[in-house]
Amino acid sequence: MKLLYKILFVAAAGWALTSCDKYLDVKPKGLVIPERLADYEGILNSPTMTRTFPLNLLDFTDDYFNNIDVLAQSPAANGYYWRPIITVNEKASPDVWGPLYRVIYDANVIINGVPATPEANTELANSVIGEALVIRANCYLELLTVFARSYHPATAANTPGLPLVTSINVTDKTPARSTLKATVDTLIANINRAIPLLPTSNTNKSRVTKYVAWGLLSRIYLYMGDFENAEKYTDLALDAPHAMLDYNAYATYSAVPRYEQSSEVLWHRAAVSGSPLFMIYSDDLKAHFNDDDIRYTFLTTTNNNGLGRSSLPGTYNFGITFPELYLTKAELLARKNQYDDAMDIVNMIRQNRIKTAAYADQTAGSGEEALALVLAERRRELAFSGLRWFDMKRLDREGRMPEVKRINPDTQEVYATLAPGSANYTFEIPVRVQLFNPGMELNHQ
Amino acid sequence: MHDLAWLDNLQLRAATGFNGNVPASNAGPFLVLNSGLNTLLVPAQQYFDVLTPENQSLRWETTRNYNIGLDYTVLNNRVSGSIDWYMKRSFDVFGQFDADPTSGWNQYNANTASIENKGLELMLNTVNVKGRKFQWRTQLTASFNHNKVLAVKATEFATSERIALGSSPVQGRPIGALFSYNYGGLNALGQPYAWDREGNEKVLAFFGTAQVDVTFDDMIYNGTTTPKYVLGLNNQFDIGQFNVSLLFMYYGGHVMRVEQPLPHNIGYFANNPLQGSSNFWRKPGDEKITRIPGYVRASSLAPGYYQSYALYAYQYASEFVRKADYIRLRDVVITYNIRGALLNKLGVSNAHLRFQAQNAFRYTFSGNDIDPEAIDRVTGIRRLETQPFYSLTISANF
């Protein structure tokens, strides 16, 4: 002990004589404090910025069947049964909210930090900022589908949206929820700011291009019901180089190109964690398929619980695909009553998905008929792709969503019902967030 | 020193010190990136990712020490020992602090508290018997610690559950202070409730528009989960070619929470349900014969629905806290030193046979069913008890 105290004396004296003027003088070793553009660009390659899709969004959909215990209070059960609070545990990072705001933090690091680098205002520096703006907007769009009511133009200015965070100091106070309109307007403004900064091609499909930004605008305007703008940006996104894959050309699913390199993928987004493998197809979704559909062979697997989802080679993608953009285009044409043009697109997709021997064109006699066929094709093509909850929410706003039920397959007991226009289309602000922000406006008053 | 023939040695020591700690480099005020290879990307790319967020509120952690000690040897070296008194004050101690997840982080490193530690350490060695064939020596150690939280960073939110879980230190109380609910039982709907200090029944609800909670003053302070004193008694006997030593340890002055039967643990693979878990509330009237809440209703519209947080009133109830004093036979060592002319001829020296038993015996004074070393004293969750460990060693030098 004596020796220890001697050492302490010497250390104390030494410290007194040489102490730093500021804390900032002591910089950590072996780690990087971002200073150069390359440090910030590296963040765009991080797992945080490339694995951004919260898998919970699949739990909420009518694509999915789960025999999960109705008494369970886990996020999976709460999401599946549309209970307002997804994450009951107020100590844990809340599902969906936590991981997406974590991505938003990284995006803000880039947006705030790049202008202070020596390379600021170069073409590359600007495009790095542009990529962060688009990734951030995508996170907010996903958050909107979960934690804010659907977008009605008439009421959006009086409906709560999301807290829009720009600070990267962890002790800063969270801003109040912007209105739904202000939130969406900010996203659109951010993407429009990004477009002139972005390149037309990038190092890999996880990185952002102009086309990705247009594709995201296509989604946002579709969600808002602004079909004119949705079509404009869908067309722009479809200008990106791409090619549909004819599933008839592959003997097995394993011969299909990997998601990361597929000519059908515009933007690759991986799940934050987990995978949809073995998630069970609901009876409703199964009824959309028949055995002539190669998707039914390539993308299903049977296990003890029923017919489960499987994956094409590579890391499962929840980002923007060209089939999605085509189906959006077809939907918008059908809505304008251009039903033949809409069906041309649907048939183009089907030729690539249905066994050639069994293929026959589908036809529609009206815009409404075509719309039904487009939406059915969208169910099939985009099953478990991360967009169904987004679709359910916007279709419910139009009164196009039937009642969805969670039924015990053994007893036929109805465990939960998501009625048209139900308040449960919107989940509640997570408990942990409520505790930090007692004044925050809630969705279920 | 002629007058003090019984005194062989006496030393007085005093020291004071001051030191400061910067936080670890990965937990400081800077935005810090780490790097890696993202194999999701084709081709794989080197990346940087944020390891710790920017936090300009961090300061140095500082500590001031005072220490006075006395070493003594008396009675012809038969009795020796030391007495040490210390006081240590630490300011701006680092700790994890809860963050609003909207910031992107669930916790961050912060200067959370100032703490005072005072204590006394005694050591006494005696040679009781000193013969040629038989020796008996005793070592007695005792340490007493008293610590107190002098100041604490105000928590930005506090549900009563966080008080019960000791999530943040409490000013004026020791580190490891344990607080509990005054559990009232179940109401006619089967909802578990806690009493507040005015005798109101509170069914806890931490979210939504009708939040119900008890305050800090409604909680019961049970004591500290850290032992206030630790006593050690070691006896060593040399009997001919045998050495025997026995080390007893006594830990006392602290408390622990003990887990209670709960039906939620039935059928949940990670937990083993405790005996009595099935005696839970099922129908009105059961509240007269059981204090164990039933399952949380699946729907908030079901009669008797309560939020799962209401269970905390039961799980962290004061009545389930008990004294954690225990004694343990930490170590028994029996050594047999093998000597013999034959061994010497063979060039073998220092040969011995050694048997050791660790944790062979333990007694918990408040009930011997619980090993206070194998329990989370705050949540009551138990682990496998410390198992006795026996070993036999034969060693020799060639």
Side-chain angles (χ1 to χ4, degrees):
Chain A
M1 288 300 270
K2 275 189 285 187
L3 182 64
L4 177 67
Y5 285 106
K6 270 184 197 161
I7 291 168
L8 282 178
F9 261 132
V10 174
W15 173 78
L17 291 172
T18 63
S19 74
C20 323
D21 293 338
K22 279 178 79 179
Y23 203 5
L24 289 164
D25 297 357
V26 192
K27 295 213 170 180
K29 290 186 182 121
L31 299 163
V32 179
I33 295 176
E35 281 164 0
R36 299 165 301 127
L37 179 60
D39 303 333
Y40 289 100
E41 193 192 355
I43 297 175
L44 291 172
N45 291 328
S46 67
T48 303
M49 294 295 258
T50 50
R51 299 183 170 275
T52 59
F53 179 78
L55 213 58
N56 307 65
L57 269 72
L58 302 184
D59 295 342
F60 316 152
T61 67
D62 56 355
D63 282 355
Y64 178 42
F65 166 78
N66 192 345
N67 206 0
I68 196 164
D69 186 350
V70 73
L71 289 170
Q73 298 283 317
S74 62
N78 294 334
Y80 184 70
Y81 296 114
W82 308 294
R83 296 180 193 133
I85 293 287
I86 302 171
T87 307
V88 173
N89 180 354
E90 78 287 7
K91 294 179 284 293
S93 172
D95 286 59
V96 185
W97 189 283
L100 285 174
Y101 271 103
R102 176 69 186 80
V103 180
I104 289 167
Y105 182 89
D106 273 22
N108 284 330
V109 165
I110 294 171
I111 295 164
N112 295 355
V114 169
T117 59
E119 299 93 335
N121 297 318
T122 60
E123 200 176 322
L124 182 60
N126 288 335
S127 84
V128 167
I129 292 176
E131 290 193 56
L133 286 166
V134 170
I135 293 171
R136 189 174 71 176
N138 184 55
C139 292
Y140 279 125
L141 178 61
E142 281 169 355
L143 284 163
L144 277 177
T145 66
V146 180
F147 297 107
R149 288 195 273 278
S150 51
Y151 194 94
H152 290 272
T155 57
N158 302 314
T159 306
L162 296 167
L164 297 173
V165 179
T166 52
S167 158
I168 58 164
N169 195 341
V170 69
T171 55
D172 281 358
K173 191 85 193 119
T174 294
R177 293 176 76 177
S178 295
T179 67
L180 182 53
K181 181 172 189 320
T183 307
V184 173
D185 288 351
T186 305
L187 305 193
I188 293 171
N190 282 176
I191 298 169
N192 282 326
R193 183 185 148 202
I195 288 166
L197 310 178
L198 287 166
T200 50
S201 69
N202 213 324
T203 45
N204 58 58
K205 286 183 182 290
S206 292
R207 298 286 294 270
V208 181
T209 61
K210 276 188 192 350
Y211 299 111
V212 170
W214 284 321
L216 187 56
L217 281 177
S218 148
R219 278 189 180 181
I220 292 173
Y221 283 116
L222 187 65
Y223 187 73
M224 295 165 73
D226 181 342
F227 299 132
E228 204 175 310
N229 272 312
E231 192 172 358
K232 175 183 163 190
Y233 291 108
T234 307
D235 287 343
L236 283 166
L238 278 169
D239 283 343
H242 65 277
M244 291 292 293
L245 303 174
D246 185 352
Y247 283 8
N248 284 293
Y250 306 105
T252 69
Y253 81 95
S254 58
V256 179
R258 298 166 61 87
Y259 288 107
E260 303 90 314
Q261 290 162 309
S262 167
S263 60
E264 282 189 356
V265 172
L266 171 60
W267 195 31
H268 191 274
R269 297 281 89 193
V272 173
S273 62
S275 110
L277 259 67
F278 305 114
M279 286 182 82
I280 302 300
Y281 281 61
S282 68
D283 288 346
D284 181 41
L285 180 60
K286 272 191 281 192
H288 281 73
F289 286 98
N290 64 41
D291 290 338
D292 295 327
D293 198 318
I294 306 170
R295 287 170 293 204
Y296 211 40
T297 326
F298 281 5
L299 284 162
T300 57
T301 180
T302 305
N303 69 9
N304 289 338
N305 299 322
L307 188 76
R309 181 68 175 182
S310 71
S311 165
L312 296 175
T315 306
Y316 200 99
N317 177 37
F318 296 97
I320 301 172
T321 63
F322 291 101
E324 174 203 328
L325 292 165
Y326 276 120
L327 286 162
T328 300
K329 173 73 177 173
E331 179 182 333
L332 295 165
L333 289 169
R335 285 176 184 278
K336 289 199 296 184
N337 227 23
Q338 289 176 239
Y339 45 89
D340 283 339
D341 298 337
M343 292 316 296
D344 284 349
I345 293 176
V346 171
N347 287 325
M348 180 276 288
I349 291 172
R350 289 179 62 79
Q351 274 173 12
N352 288 307
R353 297 293 188 259
I354 307 296
K355 287 175 186 161
T356 308
Y359 177 78
D361 275 352
Q362 288 186 341
T363 54
S366 69
E368 195 59 33
E369 249 181 76
L371 182 57
L373 290 169
V374 171
L375 292 176
E377 198 58 43
R378 199 172 163 98
R379 280 298 291 280
R380 284 185 284 270
E381 180 62 30
L382 302 183
F384 294 98
S385 75
L387 218 55
R388 182 59 190 162
W389 181 246
F390 166 99
D391 282 341
M392 284 171 69
K393 194 134 171 168
R394 69 187 179 92
L395 293 173
D396 177 65
R397 184 198 63 224
E398 291 185 283
R400 288 182 189 275
M401 267 307 291
E403 197 172 62
V404 188
K405 285 183 174 162
R406 301 304 195 199
I407 297 170
N408 178 330
D410 303 321
T411 64
Q412 300 304 311
E413 187 186 347
V414 176
Y415 282 149
T417 304
L418 186 64
S422 167
N424 289 348
Y425 266 103
T426 309
F427 289 90
E428 189 52 279
I429 298 294
V431 184
R432 189 173 169 87
V433 177
Q434 288 184 35
L435 292 169
F436 276 96
N437 303 279
M440 190 173 276
E441 209 171 341
L442 301 182
N443 298 322
H444 295 252
Q445 295 288 4
Chain B
M1 288 301 232
H2 294 288
D3 304 336
L4 297 172
W6 54 273
L7 185 64
D8 303 313
N9 183 28
L10 187 68
Q11 269 189 342
L12 184 67
R13 292 174 278 111
T16 181
F18 178 79
N19 65 342
N21 281 325
V22 289
S25 55
N26 58 0
F30 304 104
L31 178 81
V32 176
L33 309 182
N34 61 351
S35 66
L37 195 67
N38 189 350
T39 52
L40 160 72
L41 305 173
V42 181
Q45 299 276 330
Q46 205 212 335
Y47 71 83
F48 290 111
D49 203 352
V50 180
L51 181 67
T52 53
E54 183 179 317
N55 177 6
Q56 292 298 348
S57 68
L58 276 176
R59 297 179 301 273
W60 286 73
E61 171 185 283
T62 55
T63 303
R64 191 172 278 283
N65 297 289
Y66 304 92
N67 180 285
I68 297 173
L70 186 73
D71 299 330
Y72 58 89
T73 309
V74 294
L75 300 178
N76 199 19
N77 293 324
R78 292 290 281 260
V79 177
S80 64
S82 62
I83 301 168
D84 276 278
W85 174 90
Y86 63 88
M87 183 168 89
K88 184 170 141 182
R89 279 193 173 148
S90 306
F91 301 95
D92 296 330
V93 175
F94 299 124
Q96 287 290 302
F97 203 67
D98 280 306
D100 179 348
T102 319
S103 71
W105 301 87
N106 214 42
Q107 286 193 315
Y108 63 95
N109 200 33
N111 301 98
T112 50
S114 296
I115 297 159
E116 181 184 81
N117 263 286
K118 283 193 281 198
L120 196 61
E121 285 179 6
L122 307 175
M123 196 160 81
L124 179 67
N125 303 313
T126 56
V127 181
N128 306 325
V129 178
K130 196 174 179 179
R132 282 193 50 183
K133 293 251 166 178
F134 180 71
Q135 271 203 29
W136 173 27
R137 293 183 302 277
T138 301
Q139 285 113 38
L140 183 69
T141 58
S143 68
F144 304 87
N145 176 272
H146 177 79
N147 66 56
K148 194 162 86 168
V149 177
L150 300 177
V152 67
K153 181 178 163 79
T155 39
E156 290 168 32
F157 73 85
T159 62
S160 56
E161 183 231 357
R162 297 188 61 78
I163 304 167
L165 283 180
S167 308
S168 40
V170 175
Q171 194 162 339
R173 296 289 189 193
I175 286 284
L178 189 67
F179 293 87
S180 301
Y181 292 101
N182 188 2
Y183 180 53
L186 302 162
N187 64 20
L189 291 167
Q191 298 167 320
Y193 61 87
W195 299 112
D196 72 5
R197 103 209 88 127
E198 275 131 24
N200 299 310
E201 298 180 4
K202 300 271 192 172
V203 179
L204 305 177
F206 289 172
F207 74 85
T209 44
Q211 300 193 1
V212 181
D213 201 355
V214 295
T215 66
F216 183 81
D217 295 332
D218 299 327
M219 307 285 284
I220 296 168
Y221 174 63
N222 301 108
T224 169
T225 55
T226 333
K228 284 187 193 161
Y229 43 90
V230 179
L231 308 176
L233 178 67
N234 193 19
N235 277 296
Q236 285 176 291
F237 304 93
D238 298 342
I239 312 159
Q241 281 166 259
F242 285 95
N243 306 126
V244 178
S245 83
L246 298 156
L247 173 63
F248 282 95
M249 296 298 292
Y250 182 96
Y251 302 83
H254 58 311
V255 295
M256 61 185 169
R257 180 140 45 215
V258 178
E259 201 183 0
Q260 293 307 307
L262 195 65
H264 293 74
N265 293 344
I266 300 175
Y268 180 53
F269 68 92
N271 286 359
N272 293 317
L274 294 176
Q275 196 171 16
S277 288
S278 56
N279 298 327
F280 56 87
W281 189 96
R282 288 178 170 82
K283 55 182 190 308
D286 286 358
E287 66 274 7
K288 296 190 178 68
I289 50 168
T290 183
R291 284 166 77 76
I292 306 175
Y295 286 98
V296 175
R297 315 294 182 273
S299 159
S300 58
L301 303 173
Y305 170 81
Y306 54 87
Q307 293 176 6
S308 58
Y309 310 106
L311 293 173
Y312 294 147
Y314 169 74
Q315 285 173 285
Y316 307 135
S318 182
E319 64 208 67
F320 306 138
V321 175
R322 46 158 130 151
K323 280 192 185 331
D325 295 42
Y326 66 104
I327 192 164
R328 188 182 285 278
L329 180 54
R330 184 66 79 195
D331 216 9
V332 178
V333 184
I334 302 170
T335 310
Y336 174 62
N337 295 301
I338 310 162
R339 289 179 213 129
L342 181 64
L343 288 177
N344 289 340
K345 265 187 201 163
L346 289 170
V348 176
S349 64
N350 198 18
H352 62 260
L353 190 65
R354 181 182 144 100
F355 168 78
Q356 186 174 14
Q358 286 168 292
N359 302 316
F361 167 81
R362 183 256 308 155
Y363 186 76
T364 308
F365 293 93
S366 65
N368 205 26
D369 56 327
I370 286 184
D371 178 356
E373 278 178 28
I375 188 169
D376 183 321
R377 292 175 199 149
V378 176
T379 62
I381 293 170
R382 280 191 262 176
R383 299 180 295 273
L384 191 64
E385 284 189 22
T386 313
Q387 297 296 309
F389 184 82
Y390 304 98
S391 63
L392 193 63
T393 320
I394 302 168
S395 79
N397 295 341
F398 295 94

